[in-house]
Amino acid sequence: MSTDDTTDASTDTESKCGASTSTETSAETDDGSSKCGASSSSSSSGCGASTDDADEEEVGATVDDFDADPGQLVAVGLGPGQPEGMTARAKAALSDAEHIVGYTTYVDLLPDDITERADDIYDTPMCGEVSRTEEAIDRALAGNDVAIIGSGDPNVYALAGLALEIVESKGATASMLDFDVVPGVPAAQSCAARVGAPLVNDTVSISLSDHLTDMPTIESRLHAAAKEGFTITIYNPWSRKRRENYEKCCEILLEHRDPETPVGVVHAAGREDERAEIVELQDLPELGETDLVDMTTTLLVGNEDTYVWDGRMVTPRGYETKYDY
Ligand SMILES: C[S@@+](CC[C@H](N)C(=O)[O-])C[C@H]1O[C@@H](n2cnc3c(N)ncnc32)[C@H](O)[C@@H]1O
């Protein structure tokens, strides 16, 4: 989701493969500045449907606008970033794809042999997740085998659901496109691996992005998760536009949890600028203004049993209550 996964939405009216244009608003980039712009493509539209007016604001081409036998549409999760974090199945799906569609940051992370093999790469530099997803669908409806890519897993705050919604809104079907999802390692798990074993008991994920979920709902979910004693993974924790969300999140967690609760703070897991620290919950508020916490960071908040041992977070699963060791 997020455009990348680290951005939120866009204004995006470029001409697209096969047809429509769409307009989204409320853009936010990695660093929180609002600068979602036009998308770019390594090639111009090569698909086969009619083109709507440039100011069309809704999903444009419908299934009836395409004459070709549809190709396949696959949502592929890349995992945390570097090629070695991709599953073999993800690599195979990308090798099989004729067109690859994704946020520029993720296209840039693809190995050369994959990008060189593809007939076409369509990437958007910022935001634009709806128009980009529609572009992928139109290309598949026009007869191409298309992979739409994202970080982590396509089912975790990502585009797999949006793809199905747009396919449906076009009057097409998932079966017609042989729609498939190729899982990737989600950020929570990549990040957990960097700080030991923080998530081995019941865990709740919450995104602080209030672009699609309003802040009162996010706050109420934070209260519930913190009160019920789950370990909590916080996605989309901070950006300049979301300072207040981060501050509110810290306040809610501190309302329900011991200030010394261990928190794993992992920035850019599996990428060149990876950083991982284990801090106490009470230290979290001041980290919001540092490079460690931004839109490529995931927070792993321990439960009441989580402790730090030998530089690793440990969340007991409960074995110690049943077995002697
Ligand atoms: C819109 S979500 C997408 C999540 C993704 N689909 C997944 O399965 O991990 C974007 C958020 O994921 C987290 N994230 C993505 N990649 C990350 C990485 N390499 N290291 C740490 N956090 C990451 C950050 O919290 C970021 O704001």
Side-chain angles (χ1 to χ4, degrees), residues 9-14 27 29 35-40 124-128:
S10 77
T11 297
D12 191 351
T13 55
E14 83 277 21
T29 65
K35 56 180 180 182
C36 290
S39 301
S40 71
T124 57
M126 301 274 178
C127 315

Side-chain angles (χ1 to χ4, degrees), residues 231-244:
T231 56
I232 306 171
T233 59
I234 307 281
Y235 280 77
N236 302 100
W238 193 91
S239 73
R240 266 176 270 153
K241 280 178 74 181
R242 290 205 194 107
R243 267 196 181 89
E244 286 170 19

Side-chain angles (χ1 to χ4, degrees), residues 1-8 30 77 79-82 106 109 150-159 184-191 206-207 209 234-238 242 265-271 273-275 294-299:
M1 129 179 148
S2 134
T3 36
D4 104 311
D5 298 354
T6 60
T7 59
D8 268 338
D30 266 356
Q82 305 288 31
Y106 299 127
L109 288 168
S151 77
D153 184 89
N155 263 295
V156 181
Y157 305 120
L159 298 177
V185 182
Q189 277 60 43
S190 301
C191 293
I206 296 179
S207 164
S209 167
I234 307 281
Y235 280 77
N236 302 100
W238 193 91
R242 290 205 194 107
V265 182
V266 184
H267 169 85
R271 302 190 199 169
D273 52 340
E274 173 181 304
R275 284 176 64 195
D294 64 14
M295 288 302 286
T296 317
T297 299
T298 299
L299 308 176

